[in-house]
């Protein structure tokens, strides 16, 4: 498929997302003639595996295994394949650890811990077999050429050693990032492990005995940013146009922003493998805003579950005040897509492993060992979030309440010690050993104990539990017990289900594990903090009828078999590519930013100028406080003109050729108080009734604001997220009650609701305003320059299209715009006014900017002189000097002299945009300076 070199986007892109997805799936199913089929993937790796495997296989490695596999089996076959899109996988650790043997000699071993797998063999073995294991989990993206970028786990201060290690890693498709010891201590051990990891698992920030860590927070955060920048430097060095960059986990939250600063067109995805906490937890982090904004620089942000994605969007709306949408988070028109991508395992590998003689022998051995007893199994890291003490205490309670099971059940608890140098983990280890010893002493006999606790060291020297042994344990288990207090996903539950096709055992799963959202229907969900509930669930599982066990297992097995790690990786990368395509399509629809020089030049060349400006979020002083939740509520309730605008607006108003109109939803008194100049503050809602339903939504809510306008009613909530909920609730009340049969429009903002008469908009108000301007300013020449700028609701954006030039109709009189009613002025009428058809306000925007819009004033029927001023004449008719025969147009506007500008909005009908109100202030200052220098007063 031909691609655009700059961004990898197809030159023949289907118009809709559905068509693009269908075509992508069709292409993915087509076999690659250059790709050989490996029919022995499931069995070949186990040859000699018992002698080579040195790491206990637990959940942390299963999850990492899925990431590593994202490369696919491309290494041994890539020479025979056509050119493919490159995938740069960026994680804190490489899948290998380096050991220095000499000045320029290195040996490589499969890494332990982090996001990398500790599953397999030491490195100097056949490249094909290593790569088979190495990239097994991400085989779903075989169509990509993959590189892994990360830290090799060793300090290499000399250049010679760095060059040698880089060469050795290049053979394994790995690229190192060299971090010195101080950076590793502050960034990894400090900020990542002591700040982010506990917070994301709801353990909170360091307290009391760890105050020293809190005091050094800023230095750790600086090291965190520096390390992320170092990762970005390496990625940028190896980046080629069209590459996909996939960043992983909380270690690299700053990386997306760093990469986008290098190249805004770079395709960047970020995936979090831990839970993302609720906004109330995340907002306690001092660097909360910086981290969120950095992650939002990515094109696609992925999480294991919908709950984590929802928490992230909620944090962005509540902390940053950004717009949350069903697709993600929108900021200044840029959409960062946020979605859930549940990870899986390579289920086929486990299923095929059960068929090998090596695993079958171990299954038979375990059956003999535990003959006559039901087997319960727990496989965890010895970590505070895994709930191991709670699990064991629940098992003790079960034995207390069910004496008949005391000699008929055994709990096998596999625990891998982690961070053994940290006091909290040492305390946890001692606590587990103490509880196990007490229970075994209480319920054990001379021949058997109820708990077998195996502390499998996470190292290559301990070979007490290899992959075949783990598969055998899963296969003989009757009940798997997963009691995580908080877990990103927990793939132990997936592995157990994959190995249970024969026995159909029962899964007891913590509701706080991410896997609960995928396997909850077939598992028994428990609250691990409720010891009584877990004990009762154990009894339920052991006594469950075979029919129910089979039904539950079938449901979960289908999910595990179909939702694999390969599918997870392929889905994420394809969604990232799709997101970039959609962003490119949206970008083409975004109006360009206003070029001040052009607008000012046209302003100076014109003779009669009209400036129409919004008030809120355009001319007002800012209400947001950087780094704080939401804005200043007092400022929002009492809006004021920005102090830097009083001078420019005063200067512009003194220009006899310039008229300024301010449109606002605020009360007239607010505008009068904000400015001493002759600005036109106009209220345009037209109902004086205030319904009780508005006040009912305000009671007890200090940050809500229900207002009765002169001609209408409105309601606003300061809280971004809760405001949306209340606005939707209010709409339901309105449509089913007070306004069900009323001739009104309901206008909904992000946190507000307004009720107006049908057809009342800012665009419709322009008709009346033009008439007032003509009379009050004694106009003798048509308006030939219009600038309209504001942060208007979508319903009010007809103010932009109102002045758009339109082609003249053949059957319309000369000087009369198509579909518009002539503007008639008669000096002898009691109330002289200008009328324009309201249909004009709804007209569509012309693609041509060179056409002229004219709104004519026909000849008066009677002679008018300056002294012909009766007492009954309307305001303006007696003051407007006019010739005996007058015929001219109110508007003689050419397309190049019309500038409509939306402030802070990119989905707009306006021709141009201002990024923020600061851009408006800067422009008006320049405009006023030009006006003063070119006009004599």
């Amino acid at each position: 498929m031909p691609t655009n070199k700059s961004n990898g986007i197809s030159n023949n892109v289907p118009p809709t997302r559905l068509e693009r997805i269908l075509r992508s799936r069709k292409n993915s199913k087509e076999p690659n003639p250059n790709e050989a089929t490996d029919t022995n993937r499931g069995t070949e790796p186990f040859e000699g595996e018992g002698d080579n495997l040195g790491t206990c296989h637990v959940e942390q490695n299963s999850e990492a295994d899925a990431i590593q596999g994202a490369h696919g089996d491309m290494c041994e076959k890539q020479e025979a394949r056509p050119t493919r899109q490159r995938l740069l996988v960026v994680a804190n650790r490489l899948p290998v650890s380096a050991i220095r043997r000499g000045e320029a000699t290195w040996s490589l071993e499969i890494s332990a811990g982090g996001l990398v797998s500790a599953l397999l063999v030491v490195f100097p073995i056949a490249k094909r077999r290593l790569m088979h294991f190495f990239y097994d989990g991400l085989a779903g993206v075989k169509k990509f050429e993959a590189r892994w970028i990360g830290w090799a786990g060793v300090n290499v201060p000399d250049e010679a050693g760095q060059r040698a290690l880089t060469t050795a890693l290049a053979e394994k498709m790995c690229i190192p990032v060299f971090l010195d010891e101080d950076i590793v201590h502050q960034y990894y051990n400090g900020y990542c492990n002591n700040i982010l990891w506990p917070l994301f698992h709801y353990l909170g920030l360091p307290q009391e005995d760890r105050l020293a860590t809190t005091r050094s927070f800023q230095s750790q955060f600086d090291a965190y940013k520096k390390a992320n920048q170092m990762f970005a430097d390496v990625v940028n060095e190896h980046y080629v146009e069209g590459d996909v960059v996939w960043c992983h986990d909380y270690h690299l939250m700053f990386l997306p922003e760093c990469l986008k600063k290098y190249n805004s067109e770079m395709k960047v995805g970020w995936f979090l493998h831990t839970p993302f906490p609720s906004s109330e937890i995340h907002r306690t982090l001092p660097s909360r805003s910086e981290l969120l904004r950095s992650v939002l620089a990515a094109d696609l942000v992925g999480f294991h579950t919908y709950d984590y994605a929802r928490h992230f969007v909620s944090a962005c709306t509540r902390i940053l005040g950004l717009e949350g949408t069903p697709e993600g988070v929108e900021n200044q028109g840029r959409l960062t897509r946020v979605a859930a991508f549940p990870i899986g395992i390579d289920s086929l590998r486990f299923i095929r492993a059960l068929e090998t003689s090596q695993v079958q022998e171990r299954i038979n051995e375990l059956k003999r060992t535990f003959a006559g007893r039901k087997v319960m199994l727990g496989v965890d890291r010895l970590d505070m979030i895994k709930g191991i003490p709670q699990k064991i205490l629940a098992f003790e309670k079960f034995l207390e309440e069910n004496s008949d099971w005391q000699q008929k059940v055994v709990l096998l608890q596999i625990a891998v010690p982690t961070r053994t140098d940290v006091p909290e983990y040492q305390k946890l280890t001692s606590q587990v050993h103490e509880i196990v010893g007490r229970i075994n002493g209480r319920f054990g006999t001379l021949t058997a104990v109820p708990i077998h606790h195996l502390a499998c060291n996470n190292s290559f020297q301990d070979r007490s539990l290899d992959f075949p042994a783990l598969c055998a344990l899963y296969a003989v288990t009757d009940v798997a017990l997963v009691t995580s207090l908080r877990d990103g996903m927990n793939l132990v539950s997936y592995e157990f289900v994959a190995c249970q096709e024969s026995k159909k055992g029962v899964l007891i799963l913590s509701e706080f594990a991410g896997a609960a959202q995928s396997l909850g229907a077939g598992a028994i969900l428990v609250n691990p903090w409720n010891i009584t509930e877990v004990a009762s669930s154990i009894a339920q599982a052991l006594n469950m009828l075979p029919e129910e066990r089979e039904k539950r297992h079938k449901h979960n097995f289908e999910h595990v078999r179909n939702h694999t790690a390969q599918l997870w990786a392929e889905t994420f990368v394809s969604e990232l590519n799709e997101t970039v395509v959609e962003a490119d399509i949206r970008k083409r629809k975004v109006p360009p930013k206003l070029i001040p020089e052009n607008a000012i030049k046209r302003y100076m060349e014109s003779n009669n100028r009209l400036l129409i400006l919004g008030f809120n979020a355009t001319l007002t002083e800012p209400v947001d406080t950087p780094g704080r939740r939401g804005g200043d509520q007092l400022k929002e309730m009492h809006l004021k003109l920005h102090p830097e605008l009083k001078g420019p607006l005063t200067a512009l108003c003194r220009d006899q050729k310039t008229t300024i109109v301010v449109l606002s939803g605020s009360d007239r008194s607010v505008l009068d108080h904000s400015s001493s100049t002759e600005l036109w503050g106009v209220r345009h809602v037209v109902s004086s009734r205030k319904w009780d339903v508005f006040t009912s939504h305000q009671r007890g809510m200090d940050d809500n604001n229900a207002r009765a306008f002169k001609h209408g009613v409105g309601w606003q909530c300061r809280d971004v997220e809760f405001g949306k909920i209340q606005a939707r609730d209010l709409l339901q009340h309105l449509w089913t009650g007070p306004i069900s049969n009323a001739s009104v429009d309901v206008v909904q903002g992000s946190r507000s609701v307004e009720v107006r008469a049908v057809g009342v908009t800012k665009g419709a108000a322009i008709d009346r305003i033009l008439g007032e301007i003509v009379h009050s300013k004694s106009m003798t020449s048509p308006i030939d320059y219009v600038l309209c700028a504001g942060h208007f609701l979508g319903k009010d954006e007809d103010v932009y299209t109102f002045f758009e030039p339109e082609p003249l109709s053949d059957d319309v009189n000369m000087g009369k715009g198509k579909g518009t009613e002539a503007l008639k002025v008669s000096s002898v009428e009691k109330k002289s006014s200008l009328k324009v058809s309201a249909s004009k306000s709804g007209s569509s925007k012309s693609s041509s900017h060179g056409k002229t819009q004219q709104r004519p004033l026909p000849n008066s029927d009677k002679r008018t002189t300056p002294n012909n001023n009766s007492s009954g004449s309307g305001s303006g008719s007696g003051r407007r000097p006019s010739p005996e025969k007058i015929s001219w147009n109110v508007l003689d506007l050419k397309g190049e002299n019309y500038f409509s500008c939306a402030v802070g909005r990119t989905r707009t009908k306006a021709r141009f945009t201002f990024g923020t109100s600061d851009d408006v202030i800067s422009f008006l200052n320049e405009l006023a300076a030009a006006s003063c220098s070119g006009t004599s007063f």
Side-chain angles (χ1 to χ4, degrees):
M1 181 174 65
T3 58
N4 183 310
K5 184 177 180 181
S6 62
N7 54 21
I9 297 174
S10 172
N11 294 326
N12 184 24
V13 180
T16 66
R17 177 180 178 85
L18 177 60
E19 291 177 2
R20 291 193 295 271
I21 292 175
L22 291 176
R23 189 176 73 172
S24 175
R25 290 184 177 178
K26 179 181 177 181
N27 293 339
S28 65
K29 292 179 180 179
E30 293 177 356
N32 187 340
N34 298 313
E35 184 177 308
T37 303
D38 186 357
T39 58
N40 296 318
R41 285 181 56 85
T43 56
E44 181 183 357
F46 297 106
E47 297 176 6
E49 195 171 86
D51 296 330
N52 293 324
L53 279 173
T55 304
C56 177
H57 177 85
V58 293
E59 179 270 331
Q60 66 172 15
N61 302 323
S62 307
E63 192 166 307
D65 186 39
I67 304 166
Q68 293 170 344
H71 303 302
D73 293 335
M74 76 292 295
C75 298
E76 57 176 310
K77 302 174 185 176
Q78 74 179 51
E79 295 81 10
R81 295 182 181 179
T83 303
R84 297 160 297 173
Q85 187 178 27
R86 292 207 322 168
L87 174 66
L88 302 182
V89 177
V90 191
N92 175 62
R93 288 291 299 270
L94 288 172
V96 295
S97 292
I99 300 176
R100 196 163 193 170
R101 303 300 184 186
E103 184 175 349
T105 306
W106 294 87
S107 65
L108 304 175
E109 295 180 346
I110 299 296
S111 284
L115 290 179
V116 295
S117 175
L119 292 177
L120 309 170
V121 296
V122 290
F123 241 77
I125 62 172
K127 177 181 179 182
R128 183 176 65 82
R129 177 179 300 178
L130 173 63
M131 292 301 120
H132 166 79
F133 278 103
F134 198 79
Y135 301 119
D136 188 52
L138 290 180
V141 288
K142 292 184 289 187
K143 56 186 177 182
F144 293 92
E145 246 182 73
R147 303 289 186 277
W148 190 306
I149 298 176
W151 177 50
V154 62
N155 181 32
V156 189
D158 59 299
E159 293 185 4
Q162 291 182 5
R163 285 195 300 270
L165 180 56
T166 301
T167 302
L169 289 171
E171 298 179 3
K172 313 304 178 188
M173 314 299 285
C174 295
I175 302 168
V177 177
F178 295 105
L179 306 175
D180 60 48
E181 290 183 355
D182 182 63
I183 287 290
V184 170
H185 176 69
Q186 294 278 342
Y187 146 73
Y188 181 69
N189 297 327
Y191 195 78
C192 291
N193 288 342
N194 286 341
I195 303 295
L196 291 182
W197 190 89
L199 187 76
F200 282 13
H201 289 85
Y202 291 79
L203 299 179
L205 294 175
Q207 300 283 337
E208 298 175 1
D209 57 327
R210 298 167 67 187
L211 281 177
T213 303
T214 306
R215 289 170 183 159
S216 62
F217 170 84
Q218 190 58 48
S219 63
Q220 293 179 3
F221 185 54
D222 292 340
Y224 181 85
K225 292 191 290 186
K226 182 178 179 180
N228 275 248
Q229 184 60 55
M230 294 171 72
F231 274 87
D233 293 341
V234 175
V235 173
N236 187 59
E237 180 183 348
H238 293 84
Y239 175 79
V240 178
E241 275 188 289
D243 285 358
V244 172
V245 182
W246 192 2
C247 311
H248 287 273
D249 230 1
Y250 59 92
H251 311 88
L252 301 176
M253 294 182 74
F254 248 92
L255 186 57
E257 183 179 49
C258 296
L259 295 176
K260 288 292 187 176
K261 287 181 179 178
Y262 279 123
N263 185 350
S264 61
E265 300 299 321
M266 189 181 295
K267 297 179 183 179
V268 179
W270 182 80
F271 190 88
L272 182 66
H273 293 268
T274 68
F276 191 89
S278 70
S279 60
E280 291 304 306
I281 297 294
H282 184 76
R283 67 192 292 255
T284 63
L285 186 65
S287 56
R288 59 193 183 181
S289 298
E290 292 178 83
L291 291 178
L292 289 176
R293 292 190 186 278
S294 299
V295 171
L296 287 175
D299 299 292
L300 176 63
V301 176
F303 300 90
H304 281 310
T305 71
Y306 172 76
D307 281 348
Y308 305 157
R310 178 171 53 84
H311 289 163
F312 177 79
V313 173
S314 176
C316 291
T317 57
R318 287 179 173 270
I319 296 173
L320 302 180
L322 300 179
E323 180 76 13
T325 72
E327 293 183 338
V329 179
E330 188 171 350
N331 182 16
Q332 298 294 327
R334 182 185 183 275
L335 178 68
T336 298
R337 189 162 184 317
V338 180
F341 300 91
I343 198 172
I345 62 172
D346 185 4
S347 55
L348 192 60
R349 182 176 177 226
F350 285 86
I351 294 171
R352 289 178 173 173
L354 297 177
E355 301 172 359
T356 63
S357 59
Q358 193 174 8
V359 174
Q360 286 296 320
E361 290 176 3
R362 301 200 179 197
I363 290 176
N364 293 331
E365 181 181 346
L366 289 171
K367 286 182 177 179
R368 289 192 296 270
T369 302
F370 300 110
R373 308 178 76 179
K374 293 286 187 179
V375 177
M376 298 178 59
L377 177 66
V379 180
D380 306 278
R381 296 195 316 272
L382 192 52
D383 203 315
M384 290 176 289
I385 65 166
K386 294 301 181 179
I388 296 178
Q390 287 81 1
K391 177 191 305 185
I392 299 174
L393 290 174
F395 183 65
E396 179 184 28
K397 186 169 185 61
F398 164 76
L399 295 178
E400 289 175 351
E401 297 176 348
N402 298 271
S403 57
D404 54 322
W405 277 101
Q406 291 178 1
Q407 305 302 320
K408 298 179 182 179
V409 64
V410 59
L411 172 62
L412 306 180
Q413 178 59 54
I414 312 300
V416 180
T418 58
R419 303 181 68 187
T420 54
D421 57 332
V422 178
E424 288 87 346
Y425 287 80
Q426 294 172 352
K427 181 179 179 180
L428 175 64
T429 302
S430 300
Q431 181 184 17
V432 170
H433 288 163
E434 178 184 344
I435 298 174
V436 170
R438 176 171 55 80
I439 296 174
N440 282 341
R442 180 181 176 186
F443 298 103
T445 65
L446 293 176
T447 58
V449 292
I451 301 178
H452 289 245
H453 179 231
L454 176 61
C456 174
N457 293 327
N458 201 5
S459 67
F460 292 99
Q461 287 71 38
D462 187 340
R463 297 181 178 138
S464 54
L465 189 67
D466 53 24
F467 180 71
L470 183 67
C471 290
L473 272 176
Y474 283 142
V476 301
T477 297
D478 296 281
V479 178
L481 197 53
V482 178
T483 57
S484 303
L485 305 181
R486 191 71 61 173
D487 227 339
M489 179 55 79
N490 193 296
L491 295 180
V492 165
S493 53
Y494 279 66
E495 295 172 355
F496 167 74
V497 171
C499 295
Q500 282 288 312
E501 181 61 14
S502 175
K503 197 156 194 176
K504 297 176 176 55
V506 181
L507 173 64
I508 298 177
L509 181 60
S510 167
E511 62 186 62
F512 300 118
Q517 293 196 14
S518 303
L519 305 180
I524 299 176
L525 294 182
V526 296
N527 177 358
W529 294 100
N530 189 336
I531 303 301
T532 301
E533 179 187 356
V534 178
S536 176
S537 297
I538 293 174
Q540 178 187 352
L542 291 173
N543 293 292
M544 187 175 293
L545 296 176
E547 294 79 9
E548 184 178 354
R549 288 207 313 268
E550 183 173 0
K551 184 178 179 180
R552 288 175 177 268
H553 170 76
K554 181 179 179 180
H555 180 278
N556 283 348
F557 185 77
E558 287 298 317
H559 179 88
V560 171
R561 187 175 62 179
N562 295 326
H563 296 80
T564 62
Q566 292 89 336
L567 179 64
W568 164 74
E570 181 178 301
T571 302
F572 186 92
V573 178
S574 63
E575 281 290 330
L576 177 54
N577 280 316
E578 175 64 26
T579 298
V580 173
V581 171
E582 291 181 341
D584 184 69
I585 294 174
R586 281 194 302 270
K587 195 180 300 181
R588 296 172 189 171
K589 297 179 181 179
V590 174
K593 288 191 175 182
L594 178 71
I595 302 175
E597 294 77 12
N598 186 32
I600 294 174
K601 177 184 176 182
R602 294 290 180 182
Y603 175 89
M604 298 303 298
E605 294 174 352
S606 57
N607 296 314
N608 194 354
R609 309 129 178 176
L610 174 62
L611 306 185
I612 301 176
L613 304 173
F615 186 66
N616 299 35
T618 303
L619 303 180
T620 55
E621 58 184 357
V623 298
D624 291 332
T625 304
R628 297 185 62 184
R629 176 182 176 181
D632 189 319
Q633 294 185 15
L634 286 178
K635 287 185 178 180
E636 287 188 24
M637 296 171 63
H638 305 286
L639 295 173
K640 293 182 180 180
L641 184 72
H642 198 289
E644 295 183 21
L645 282 177
K646 292 183 178 180
L649 290 178
T650 301
L652 290 172
C653 286
R654 288 175 181 170
D655 187 346
Q656 296 299 317
K657 296 182 179 180
T658 302
T659 302
I660 298 180
V661 174
V662 175
L663 298 176
S664 175
S666 300
D667 191 83
R668 176 68 176 262
S669 61
V670 175
L671 301 182
D672 294 338
H673 178 73
S674 296
S675 177
S676 59
T677 60
E678 296 179 358
L679 303 182
W680 293 80
V682 180
R683 279 300 313 162
H684 59 278
V685 287
V686 295
S687 172
S688 60
R689 180 181 178 188
K690 180 178 180 181
W691 290 293
D692 291 338
V693 67
F694 279 90
T695 55
S696 69
H697 277 72
Q698 187 184 13
R699 293 189 188 104
M701 306 292 293
D702 292 337
D703 55 355
N704 293 348
N705 186 16
R707 297 177 294 168
F709 302 138
K710 180 179 179 181
H711 301 295
V713 64
W715 175 91
Q716 184 176 24
C717 182
R718 311 300 179 197
D719 189 295
V720 179
E721 188 174 20
F722 187 51
K724 292 180 181 179
I725 299 173
Q726 284 213 304
R728 288 194 297 266
D729 187 33
L730 176 57
L731 283 176
Q732 293 177 359
H733 282 282
L734 289 174
W735 286 121
T736 58
I739 65 171
S740 57
N741 297 315
S743 180
V744 294
D745 280 334
V746 178
V747 182
Q748 182 181 8
S750 60
R751 293 169 289 163
S752 63
V753 174
E754 290 186 18
V755 178
R756 312 170 178 174
V758 172
V760 173
T761 64
K762 286 182 169 63
I766 295 297
D767 286 342
R768 215 180 80 200
I769 294 171
L770 283 176
E772 296 289 339
I773 291 173
V774 169
H775 296 305
S776 64
K777 297 206 69 172
S778 303
M779 286 177 53
T780 57
S781 62
I783 296 171
D784 58 353
Y785 178 96
V786 175
L787 182 140
C788 181
H791 183 82
F792 300 128
L793 295 174
K795 189 79 173 179
D796 290 325
E797 285 210 341
D798 57 354
V799 70
Y800 297 137
T801 60
F802 183 87
F803 292 99
E804 281 292 347
E806 290 188 330
L808 297 178
S809 175
D810 293 337
D811 59 348
V812 179
N813 294 333
M814 196 59 156
K816 193 172 184 178
K818 179 182 177 182
T820 62
E821 185 182 317
L823 295 173
K824 298 180 180 180
V825 174
S826 177
S827 61
V828 297
E829 294 178 352
K830 184 175 182 180
K831 288 189 178 181
S832 179
S833 62
L834 298 177
K835 296 184 179 180
V836 183
S837 172
S839 64
K840 174 64 192 150
S841 63
S843 61
S844 60
K845 183 163 48 177
S846 171
S847 60
S848 171
H849 291 183
K851 302 194 182 213
T852 303
Q853 178 178 337
Q854 297 180 337
R855 292 183 183 272
L857 281 173
N859 294 340
S860 301
D861 295 334
K862 295 188 178 182
R863 182 171 178 169
T864 304
T865 64
N867 296 325
N868 186 20
N869 193 12
S870 64
S871 60
S873 62
S875 63
S877 60
R879 290 179 290 132
R880 183 176 63 85
S882 58
E884 195 170 306
K885 293 289 185 179
I886 181 170
S887 179
W888 51 277
N889 297 312
V890 175
L891 289 177
D892 188 15
L893 184 61
K894 295 182 179 180
E896 59 267 22
N897 276 11
Y898 176 50
F899 299 89
S900 55
C901 310
V903 180
R905 297 172 66 97
T906 55
R907 298 182 182 180
T908 176
K909 299 176 183 177
R911 291 183 173 190
F912 305 98
T913 62
F914 282 120
T916 64
S917 59
D918 291 339
D919 298 331
V920 179
I921 295 171
S922 176
F923 171 75
L924 291 178
N925 273 283
E926 293 182 39
L927 191 64
S931 178
C932 292
S933 63
T935 305
S936 58
F937 299 102

